[in-house]
Amino acid sequence: MKSAVETLNPTRVRLTVEVPFEELKDSLDAAYKKINQQVTVKGFRKGKIPARVIDQRFGRGAVLEEAVNDALPKFYTEAVNEAELNPLGQPEVDIKELKDNELLSFTAEVDVRPTIEVPDYSGIEVEVDAIEVTDEDVEKSVEQLRERFASTTPVERAAEDGDVVTIDLEAKVDGEVLEDGVASDVSYTIGSGELLDGIDDAVKGLSAGEEGTFTSELKGGSAAGKEAEVTVKVTQVASRELPELDDEFAQLASEFDTLEELKADSRKRLANMKQYDQATQAQERVLDKLLELVEVPIPEKLLEDEINTRKHNLEHHQLAQMGLTLERYLEIQGKTAEEFETETREAAIKGIKTQFVLDELVNKEKLNVNQEELTEHLMRRAASSGMAPDQFAQAVVEGGQVPMLVGEVARGKALAVVVEAATVKDTNGEVVDLDDEDENEAEGSTEAAEATEATEAAESAEEKPEA
C-alpha cells in the first residue's frame, strides 16, 4: 500500500491511497464467504458455492464492492497511522479506481486536529474577588437556618404575609380546565414567590374555606407561557413562628452549645465557600487569558456538530424538562433568535478551543491520569448526576465513555498547571495563594472538564469510512 497526504487547510487533509490487488485477498475471501451465507444456488449446499458460480450468478462487481467496503477501514487506518494524523470524525471517501486483479485507489478527506503552539503562559495575571465575610452575611446565614426550624400553628383568621396556607388550585385556559392544571393540598408560604405570580394578593385576606381568582402566566406544563385564570381555595391558614435566636436554638439546630459558636462556624463555612468560588473564578479567568494567547483554527464540520449538539441538548432535554419551548425560553431571557445563535456559536468555539489547547498542554507537560484520580473524578460525576457510583461507573463503561472521563481529568490537571504558574491577585491587590485549593484546581473549570459530545464523538480514528 502507498499513501500520500495533501493539506487542504490547517484542519483538513486529503489522503490518497493505492492498494495492490493482492493486498485485497483477505477481504475478497471474506466477501465470498459472506455472500455464500446469504444466497442459495440450486445444486449447491449453503455456504459451499464456488467463487466462479457466485461471479456468474451475482456478478464479480458485487463481490468487489463487498470486499472494498470490508477493506477500506483497514487501509484508511494504516494511512492515518503512517502519516501520524489525529483525525476528527468520519472521512469522506471517494474510490478513484478499481481495476480487477490490478489496483484499488481511493481518496479520503477528513478533519484533523490542528497543530497548536502553546506559548509561555507564566506571565498570565488575573484579578479575582477578595474573600470577605461580613456580619450581614453571617446574620443572613443564621436567619436561613432559623427559617428551617420554624413551626406552624393553624389559626382561625384571614391569611397574612408570612403565613403558611394549604390551598387547592385550578387553572383554566380559554375557559377550559387544564388536565395538568389541578392541584390539591398545596402548602405555600405567602410572600415566598415559589408559585404563580399574583397568588400572594389572591390569598391574602382569605380565611379557610374561602376562594379567589387571579390571572397569571403559567411557568410550566402543557400550557407553559399562556395566560390562565386560576382559582385558589384556602383550606387552612397557619401562622409561622420562628425560634428565638439564643443558645437553646444553637443546640437545637447544630452541634454547638452557644449561639456565638454557631455564628463563628457559619462565618468559617461562608469563608470556605467564598474561597472555593475565588479559586473557580481564578481558573476561568486564567483559562480566558490562556486562550487569548493561542491561535486555534476550528474545523467547520466539528463546529457545526457542536453547535447542533448544544441546541439539541438545550431544547430537547433542559427546556423540555421545564415544559418550555425554545421560543418561550428566549422570550423569558429577553434574547432574539440571532443573539441566541451568536452566543451558541461563541460558546461552541470556546469549548472546542479549550479542549484543543488543554489537550496540547497535557501532551506538552506529559501529564498522566492514575486510577485514583479517575476514581475520584468518577465519584464526583456520579454525585452530580444523582446516580450511585457503581451504577454511574457501569453506564460509563457500557457507553464507552472511559476515555472521555480520562480526558476530563487530564484537561483539569493541565489547567491547574497554568493556574499555578499564573499570578492571581484579589481586588485588594493581595496575591492569592491557591495551594489550599489543589483539589478544586485538579478538577478544572467546567469548560475544561466537560468534553462536548460532538468533539468526543469526532475524536475516534476507528470510525468506519464509507465510500
Side-chain angles (χ1 to χ4, degrees):
M1 184 196 81
K2 293 192 304 182
S3 64
V5 181
E6 177 187 358
T7 300
L8 303 178
N9 62 49
T11 63
R12 193 165 180 83
V13 300
R14 179 189 292 125
L15 285 164
T16 300
V17 183
E18 291 185 357
V19 183
F21 208 81
E22 56 265 25
E23 294 186 33
L24 287 173
K25 183 180 183 307
D26 290 344
S27 294
L28 277 169
D29 291 343
Y32 278 116
K33 185 175 181 180
K34 182 176 181 180
I35 294 173
N36 241 307
Q37 299 299 324
Q38 294 175 338
V39 301
T40 302
V41 176
K42 188 174 181 181
F44 296 95
R45 286 183 296 163
K46 196 172 185 68
K48 300 295 183 180
I49 307 170
R52 60 179 176 78
V53 176
I54 290 177
D55 289 346
Q56 292 168 357
R57 289 292 187 94
F58 306 101
R60 175 72 166 175
V63 179
L64 289 175
E65 181 180 354
E66 183 65 41
V68 168
N69 284 336
D70 177 75
L72 274 176
K74 170 192 169 187
F75 293 118
Y76 165 73
T77 301
E78 286 183 10
V80 164
N81 292 337
E82 187 177 286
E84 298 182 342
L85 299 175
N86 291 309
L88 299 168
Q90 291 189 351
E92 295 178 4
V93 176
D94 183 15
I95 297 176
K96 295 298 184 181
E97 190 174 9
L98 177 57
K99 289 184 179 180
D100 198 358
N101 292 312
E102 290 187 34
L103 179 74
L104 164 66
S105 173
F106 68 91
T107 61
E109 288 191 17
V110 66
D111 286 333
V112 293
R113 277 180 175 262
T115 300
I116 299 173
E117 293 294 333
V118 180
D120 179 20
Y121 47 79
S122 61
I124 289 178
E125 294 186 10
V126 298
E127 184 179 74
V128 295
D129 295 336
I131 296 176
E132 183 180 1
V133 180
T134 65
D135 291 342
E136 183 180 349
D137 292 332
V138 175
E139 295 300 330
K140 183 178 179 180
S141 175
V142 173
E143 188 63 26
Q144 289 173 343
L145 182 61
R146 186 184 180 204
E147 293 275 348
R148 289 170 49 191
F149 284 85
S151 60
T152 56
T153 303
V155 292
E156 299 293 331
R157 60 166 172 78
E160 302 172 353
D161 264 330
D163 284 343
V164 178
V165 290
T166 304
I167 54 177
D168 297 335
L169 295 166
E170 181 184 84
K172 293 181 181 179
V173 173
D174 298 329
E176 296 290 331
V177 178
L178 299 172
E179 288 186 11
D180 55 353
V182 178
S184 300
D185 295 327
V186 176
S187 181
Y188 175 67
T189 301
I190 300 175
S192 66
E194 294 174 352
L195 284 179
L196 298 168
D197 293 337
I199 193 170
D200 289 340
D201 291 337
V203 296
K204 278 191 291 188
L206 297 182
S207 299
E210 296 180 338
E211 64 180 45
T213 59
F214 64 101
T215 301
S216 184
E217 183 180 294
L218 299 179
K219 297 179 180 179
S222 61
K226 293 185 178 181
E227 289 287 329
E229 182 183 85
V230 184
T231 300
V232 54
K233 180 179 180 180
V234 176
T235 58
Q236 179 181 276
V237 178
S239 65
R240 199 156 168 273
E241 299 176 7
L242 297 176
E244 291 294 327
L245 279 178
D246 52 22
D247 292 347
E248 187 176 339
F249 167 71
Q251 295 164 18
L252 170 68
S254 70
E255 70 272 26
F256 301 106
D257 293 326
T258 68
L259 182 60
E260 287 307 310
E261 289 175 330
L262 173 60
K263 287 184 177 182
D265 181 70
S266 294
R267 186 179 294 276
K268 181 180 178 180
R269 285 188 298 102
L270 289 170
N272 288 339
M273 290 171 58
K274 286 179 180 286
Q275 187 176 27
Y276 180 91
D277 291 342
Q278 186 188 64
T280 301
Q281 190 179 65
Q283 291 169 0
E284 293 172 351
R285 294 183 178 180
V286 168
L287 176 61
D288 288 341
K289 289 283 188 179
L290 175 65
L291 296 182
E292 290 175 7
L293 297 176
V294 190
E295 287 294 328
V296 182
I298 305 294
E300 280 301 320
K301 180 63 168 61
L302 181 61
L303 176 58
E304 180 184 342
D305 289 343
E306 175 65 4
I307 290 172
N308 290 335
T309 296
R310 287 173 181 259
K311 288 180 180 177
H312 179 85
N313 288 341
L314 174 66
E315 190 167 3
H316 297 283
H317 296 292
Q318 296 164 261
L319 297 183
Q321 290 178 355
M322 295 186 289
L324 291 176
T325 63
L326 179 59
E327 291 75 17
R328 178 55 188 154
Y329 167 75
L330 294 179
E331 185 181 334
I332 293 172
Q333 294 292 312
K335 295 178 184 176
T336 65
E338 291 74 19
E339 289 172 334
F340 171 72
E341 290 287 339
T342 299
E343 289 180 5
T344 303
R345 182 179 179 82
E346 290 175 351
I349 289 174
K350 184 177 180 181
I352 294 171
K353 189 173 181 179
T354 296
Q355 181 165 334
F356 283 171
V357 171
L358 293 182
D359 282 347
E360 182 63 26
L361 273 172
V362 168
N363 295 329
K364 181 179 179 179
E365 302 293 344
K366 296 180 173 55
L367 302 175
N368 295 310
V369 176
N370 60 42
Q371 185 61 48
E372 182 181 356
E373 291 168 334
L374 182 60
T375 300
E376 289 177 357
H377 182 62
L378 187 147
M379 297 285 282
R380 283 190 288 266
R381 286 289 302 271
S384 64
S385 70
M387 297 172 66
D390 290 347
Q391 183 184 10
F392 184 82
Q394 182 178 353
V396 166
V397 173
E398 291 177 352
Q401 299 298 302
V402 173
M404 182 189 76
L405 290 188
V406 172
E408 290 177 359
V409 177
R411 283 187 283 275
K413 293 179 70 173
L415 179 57
V417 170
V418 183
V419 172
E420 185 178 357
T423 299
V424 181
K425 294 183 179 180
D426 65 20
T427 49
N428 294 328
E430 298 292 329
V431 174
V432 177
D433 183 2
L434 296 172
D435 288 346
D436 292 336
E437 297 299 319
D438 286 343
E439 181 180 342
N440 185 51
E441 288 182 13
E443 183 65 8
S445 72
T446 301
E447 287 172 296
E450 288 183 351
T452 59
E453 293 179 17
T455 307
E456 288 297 334
E459 283 188 318
S460 174
E462 302 299 323
E463 294 181 87
K464 182 178 180 180
E466 297 177 355

